[in-house]
Amino acid sequence: MSVKQASVHAKWIIGRVIGTKMKKTTKVRVTRLVLDPYLLKFYNKRKTYFAHDALEQCSVGDVVLLKALLERRSKHVKHELSEIVYKVGQLVDPLTGKKVAGCQFLEPLTESTKNTDVSLTTKLEQLNITASASPPSS
Amino acid sequence: PMKGRFPIRRTLEYLQKGEVVFKNSVKIMTVNYNTHGDLSEGARKFVFFNIPQIQYKNPWVQIMMFKNMTPSPFLRFYLGDGEQVLVDVEGKDYKEITQHVKKILGKSDKVLEAEALAKMELSNPANFGPKKYFLRECMSEVEGQVPHPGFVPLPKEMTGKYRAKLAAVSDD
């Protein structure tokens, strides 16, 4: 085999961080939807994975994207931290880029009102100038 | 009758009628939506009706649902080469969402038909063999052919001993 295959079946995984008490390793719980054969309904089936993060930047409750390592780092660690998707307490709305908590924005969506007042008055002055300068159309 | 609010979602027929089949590069799908509010109504309906169909058709895609995290609902796909696709879903209808997702990241109808054809070509219904791989095991299972004498006794003219007796009588 010329191309190195990853040793795990799942290449990319998303899950919640459960524990960070190990050095440079996080415990991540991954839920997949599994079909119950009789009820024909999907239920979350959990599985815990260990992931390596060199900078120890995860806290419990983050949603994290893991990438499969090419070789197993140790007996249980087969993935590494790719990026923190949603950091607990510091959520950023991907559409607007503003900080968010629950269903509310923490930062105001529009700019602060003082600036808008200043720009409005300057714009009015400009309008007066142009009104006096332009001759009345015949 | 079946139990539940819309129990039709739990029938094999409904699950197999799912339209969206993801391309091989899609690995993870994440849906962020809110439980209250008019804007994520379409997203809620999408999760309620279409997620079972999608997961049934794509058993190897990890699907995760997040509720009440951000004020606006959105979908996020993580592809195999590290690429991410963000789909804004605010105010859209659930049917629009499925059509949009099918257009961006779904296999087109032509590709699906070609795959089905290739799968059919692998298995030839004209072959006989074990029940696991083929339709029939013996010609006697086909209607209109001579059945096994274990189930139905053969007519007298076809039995070996009658024919042997006839041959002996004609020789004499």
Side-chain angles (χ1 to χ4, degrees):
Chain A
M1 290 188 274
S2 55
V3 177
K4 197 88 194 277
Q5 304 275 332
S7 50
V8 198
H9 191 70
K11 311 281 186 285
W12 292 91
I13 264 182
I14 234 189
R16 282 193 94 192
V17 172
I18 311 175
T20 55
K21 296 208 174 142
M22 300 173 278
K23 291 178 214 170
K24 295 194 179 176
T25 330
T26 39
K27 206 196 292 188
V28 175
R29 178 179 282 160
V30 161
T31 59
R32 293 194 179 158
L33 289 171
V34 173
L35 184 66
D36 184 271
Y38 181 71
L39 294 175
L40 288 180
K41 196 172 170 182
F42 283 98
Y43 289 99
N44 282 323
K45 186 174 179 184
R46 327 162 158 177
K47 193 167 177 183
T48 43
Y49 289 91
F50 291 99
H52 172 76
D53 60 338
L55 307 164
E56 271 280 16
Q57 45 181 319
C58 300
S59 46
V60 180
D62 295 348
V63 174
V64 137
L65 181 68
L66 307 177
K67 185 170 178 181
L69 288 168
L70 285 172
E71 292 168 340
R72 274 208 308 200
R73 205 185 161 82
S74 76
K75 186 178 165 195
H76 293 288
V77 178
K78 300 159 279 200
H79 300 269
E80 66 166 352
L81 176 75
S82 163
E83 65 158 317
I84 302 181
V85 179
Y86 304 117
K87 180 110 186 106
V88 73
Q90 292 156 33
L91 277 181
V92 174
D93 183 20
L95 294 169
T96 54
K98 310 276 180 183
K99 282 198 185 161
V100 141
C103 297
Q104 291 166 359
F105 285 99
L106 288 175
E107 293 173 355
L109 284 171
T110 51
E111 289 161 8
S112 56
T113 48
K114 280 186 184 173
N115 290 335
T116 52
D117 283 345
V118 168
S119 61
L120 269 173
T121 44
T122 46
K123 281 176 188 171
L124 283 169
E125 283 171 8
Q126 284 169 4
L127 276 171
N128 286 334
I129 293 167
T130 51
S132 58
S134 62
S137 54
S138 55
Chain B
M2 286 175 83
K3 299 208 188 263
R5 257 191 302 170
F6 278 89
I8 191 180
R9 300 176 293 141
R10 298 197 286 121
T11 47
L12 270 178
E13 203 185 310
Y14 176 84
L15 290 174
Q16 279 156 3
K17 275 199 183 148
E19 288 178 338
V20 187
V21 180
F22 284 133
K23 297 182 187 167
N24 293 334
S25 57
V26 177
K27 304 286 177 195
I28 305 175
M29 175 172 157
T30 305
V31 186
N32 269 285
Y33 63 106
N34 294 328
T35 41
H36 300 282
D38 275 334
L39 296 169
S40 47
E41 178 65 33
R44 261 174 275 148
K45 285 227 155 81
F46 175 73
V47 165
F48 192 71
F49 287 113
N50 292 314
I51 292 277
Q53 287 179 322
I54 298 179
Q55 182 73 92
Y56 186 80
K57 287 282 179 179
N58 311 280
W60 299 110
V61 170
Q62 183 192 356
I63 301 182
M64 274 199 103
M65 252 71 78
F66 295 106
K67 293 189 198 173
N68 298 323
M69 281 177 92
T70 76
S72 59
F74 57 90
L75 267 63
R76 212 161 182 184
F77 298 90
Y78 298 85
L79 306 190
D81 47 349
E83 208 181 311
Q84 293 180 20
V85 182
L86 186 66
V87 180
D88 185 17
V89 143
E90 198 165 339
K92 286 196 189 157
D93 205 24
Y94 69 103
K95 295 196 178 170
E96 284 176 24
I97 303 173
T98 35
Q99 289 303 312
H100 189 64
V101 167
K102 192 179 173 184
K103 205 161 75 164
I104 320 175
L105 293 161
K107 289 187 181 166
S108 61
D109 288 330
K110 280 188 194 171
V111 171
L112 281 171
E113 275 172 30
E115 278 183 5
L117 252 179
K119 211 174 160 186
M120 270 200 320
E121 276 167 23
L122 281 177
S123 60
N124 192 347
N127 292 335
F128 290 80
K131 277 282 182 208
K132 192 177 167 190
Y133 302 106
F134 303 100
L135 279 177
R136 303 158 290 208
E137 280 187 326
C138 178
M139 184 56 105
S140 56
E141 291 180 29
V142 179
E143 272 183 27
Q145 297 295 324
V146 175
H148 267 301
F151 296 106
V152 172
L154 284 175
K156 222 175 174 186
E157 295 84 20
M158 290 198 212
T159 51
K161 56 182 176 184
Y162 182 80
R163 280 199 195 159
K165 203 167 71 174
L166 266 184
V169 161
S170 60
D171 279 344
D172 289 339

